[in-house]
Amino acid sequence: MISLGKLTFFFLAICLMSSNAQFGVPRNQEEADVGVDGEVRTAEQQLSDYAAAVAAKLMESAPLMLEQTAVDVAAMIEFAKTDPETSLLLRRMTDGSGAEHFGAFADSMSAAEIATGLVETLNDLKMSDILFKDPERALREMKKEGMLPPDKIKLYEKDPKQLEEDTRKSLYFTFVSLGAAGGYL
């Protein structure tokens, strides 16, 4: 069952225009590799092949997933895979003391739940662009729906932009965690 807070978030987002989110710093290096078939492929072409494989795996895990949805999620995974900050985040999450908690997290979900979670989180990321066009209104609505931690409300009232930053970071972390749990990253 969807919570009232999430429903409000989605309602606000749907009422406004859709847009895209981008995180990290894009790579500007041009790399090439020789594929098994002997064809030389740039890093971009290799990642495109990777994204196609990810989209196929997503649709296999969640048969009702639309192809365009799988492609959108795969594109975000493709970006996350090349982002140096995300690579560091993944290393911290899966190595050392974090490995045990991450393993338990990954084992607690089915492939379909992970695929569905990736879709929902990507949609939330897209909708956050809309919601935070007016940071003060977003703060009011999220506060009204009880979506804010009580210990952070005063901080967010002083600086509504901080709420946007924290929300985006949290959603991106969720996306990356799900992507890693599903073996996509």
Side-chain angles (χ1 to χ4, degrees):
M1 174 123 208
I2 195 163
S3 72
L4 184 58
K6 257 195 165 187
L7 186 60
T8 301
F9 181 81
F10 290 125
F11 176 74
L12 287 172
I14 291 171
C15 289
L16 303 169
M17 298 174 64
S18 180
S19 67
N20 293 320
Q22 182 175 352
F23 298 88
V25 179
R27 286 177 58 166
N28 291 327
Q29 296 174 311
E30 187 69 27
E31 297 177 16
D33 196 12
V34 178
V36 176
D37 58 0
E39 185 177 330
V40 176
R41 293 188 175 123
T42 64
E44 182 179 287
Q45 290 168 324
Q46 292 170 30
L47 291 174
S48 295
D49 292 344
Y50 175 77
V54 167
K57 184 177 175 185
L58 285 165
M59 290 190 309
E60 183 181 312
S61 298
L64 298 177
M65 184 180 294
L66 298 174
E67 184 176 2
Q68 185 59 51
T69 302
V71 168
D72 291 346
V73 171
M76 185 69 168
I77 288 172
E78 179 179 51
F79 169 78
K81 191 165 182 68
T82 63
D83 180 51
E85 292 173 18
T86 303
S87 295
L88 179 62
L89 173 65
L90 285 168
R91 237 179 289 123
R92 287 180 180 164
M93 201 180 340
T94 58
D95 292 345
S97 63
E100 183 178 322
H101 296 293
F102 178 74
F105 170 72
D107 293 341
S108 70
M109 293 178 289
S110 69
E113 289 172 322
I114 290 170
T116 301
L118 285 165
V119 171
E120 289 175 0
T121 306
L122 182 59
N123 287 339
D124 288 349
L125 278 164
K126 289 177 181 178
M127 289 182 200
S128 69
D129 283 347
I130 297 162
L131 179 64
F132 288 107
K133 283 186 178 185
D134 183 351
E136 291 172 4
R137 180 175 178 197
L139 171 66
R140 281 192 313 273
E141 294 300 323
M142 291 176 79
K143 185 177 173 183
K144 183 171 72 175
E145 295 301 324
M147 297 173 69
L148 302 176
D151 60 322
K152 294 232 179 183
I153 291 176
K154 287 184 182 179
L155 169 70
Y156 295 148
E157 287 173 341
K158 282 184 180 178
D159 185 9
K161 288 280 193 185
Q162 185 66 46
L163 173 60
E164 177 180 4
E165 184 179 325
D166 289 352
T167 301
R168 288 181 190 277
K169 284 180 180 179
S170 176
L171 289 169
Y172 188 68
F173 179 80
T174 300
F175 186 87
V176 169
S177 297
L178 288 166
Y184 301 106
L185 291 170

